[in-house]
Amino acid sequence: MARVFTSEDVSNIRNMLLGVDQEPAYDAEFFLYATSYYAILRIACESYFPGRIRGYTKQQYVVSLLHQACVLPLCSLAWMASVFEDTPALIYLLTGAYLASDSIINYTPAHGVITGMAGHSRHVVGGGRIGPDFSWGVHAHHIFTIVLCALGPNLPPWPVVEGAFCILLGEAGSMWISITLLWPNPLNYMIRFWAFLVTRVLAFTIALDIARQISYWPVLLAWLVLVTGLFFDNFRTLSRMAGTRNGGGSEHGKWPL
């Protein structure tokens, strides 16, 4: 069967939309494979570690901490040692794949099949919510971030590096959300709030500097829209964290508590 688009056609379309000439070291095929592997890992974890902790599946904790505390630090070390070609692009696409697998496995009807549960956020156990099995807010946050991860490797050389730092900062700040859910104590609540605040302020500042360096206006417009969307989403999350930064959080099952 003849292919609808050749690789040259795809390159030409990509170059026209993004205003770039160079071919990426990692492409859409790599992203799809990475998403599939993350999804398989989530299903395997769900099988071996069933159940929930404070409203979220154990699988979510395992994969989140694996990505944030193992995969990204290893990518950072590989970047410093120049082990892989174009390591920043690897950081972008692996993070996008991690988030895409989270949306697919945990926040769609697939979740009910995988966990063997009803798959409704209204389902209650012991008078409390067991956690969201579908969330427009989570999907919106993930979509904004995934599109940024797809756009990032096509930026000019220095903004690509800055964008990779933004991802590393963002995931480092988010890591303490999982840690606080697992070990809810006053110290972790305080670290969660300040880590999230500091990393978001730094990442947003870097994102504005990236925007300053983008000359191709369609990409600049897309970048500003996505960054603005993530800014308001993170501000909403930070506002909810502010009320529990001294360790008073008892609510769970609703992001980010």
Side-chain angles (χ1 to χ4, degrees):
M1 181 181 295
R3 297 177 62 181
V4 178
F5 293 109
T6 65
S7 58
E8 184 178 356
D9 292 331
V10 173
S11 296
N12 289 336
I13 293 171
R14 172 181 163 276
N15 295 345
M16 178 184 66
L17 292 176
L18 301 177
V20 295
D21 297 321
Q22 72 276 13
E23 291 299 317
Y26 306 99
D27 54 13
E29 184 178 4
F30 175 87
F31 171 77
L32 292 175
Y33 273 113
T35 302
S36 299
Y37 290 138
Y38 268 113
I40 292 169
L41 176 62
R42 290 183 184 278
I43 294 170
C45 288
E46 196 71 56
S47 175
Y48 283 104
F49 309 109
R52 293 174 180 254
I53 301 174
R54 299 200 76 203
Y56 294 91
T57 64
K58 295 177 183 178
Q59 160 258 126
Q60 287 175 282
Y61 293 105
V62 171
V63 178
S64 293
L65 292 174
L66 176 67
H67 179 76
Q68 295 164 346
C70 296
V71 172
L72 290 183
L74 287 174
C75 286
S76 301
L77 292 173
W79 188 4
M80 289 187 289
S82 300
V83 173
F84 298 119
E85 180 185 4
D86 201 5
T87 308
L90 191 64
I91 292 171
Y92 282 107
L93 296 181
L94 285 176
T95 300
Y98 153 73
L99 293 172
S101 70
D102 187 36
S103 279
I104 294 168
I105 299 300
N106 294 312
Y107 296 97
T108 67
H111 178 73
V113 176
I114 293 166
T115 62
M117 300 175 64
H120 298 293
S121 60
R122 293 188 299 273
H123 183 61
V124 295
V125 174
R129 289 173 51 147
I130 62 170
D133 295 330
F134 183 86
S135 170
W136 285 114
V138 171
H139 283 307
H141 175 272
H142 284 183
I143 289 170
F144 277 128
T145 310
I146 290 166
V147 174
L148 278 174
C149 287
L151 190 62
N154 298 288
L155 296 173
W158 179 243
V160 168
V161 172
E162 288 185 305
F165 275 120
C166 282
I167 291 175
L168 295 174
L169 283 170
E171 292 302 310
S174 295
M175 181 173 65
W176 227 265
I177 294 175
S178 297
I179 292 174
T180 304
L181 284 166
L182 289 170
W183 296 284
N185 58 61
L187 177 61
N188 280 336
Y189 275 107
M190 182 178 66
I191 294 174
R192 181 185 73 167
F193 174 77
W194 288 108
F196 197 87
L197 174 62
V198 171
T199 55
R200 265 51 184 185
V201 169
L202 291 174
F204 184 68
T205 303
I206 295 172
L208 292 180
D209 187 63
I210 292 172
R212 179 185 61 82
Q213 301 173 71
I214 299 174
S215 58
Y216 191 55
W217 73 264
V219 174
L220 174 60
L221 179 61
W223 183 264
L224 291 175
V225 168
L226 294 168
V227 169
T228 302
L230 281 175
F231 173 82
F232 282 108
D233 180 74
N234 284 315
F235 181 79
R236 183 168 61 94
T237 300
L238 188 66
S239 298
R240 296 192 61 207
M241 285 183 179
T244 59
R245 66 181 181 273
N246 293 321
S250 59
E251 183 184 6
H252 65 277
K254 291 175 63 179
W255 182 261
L257 299 173

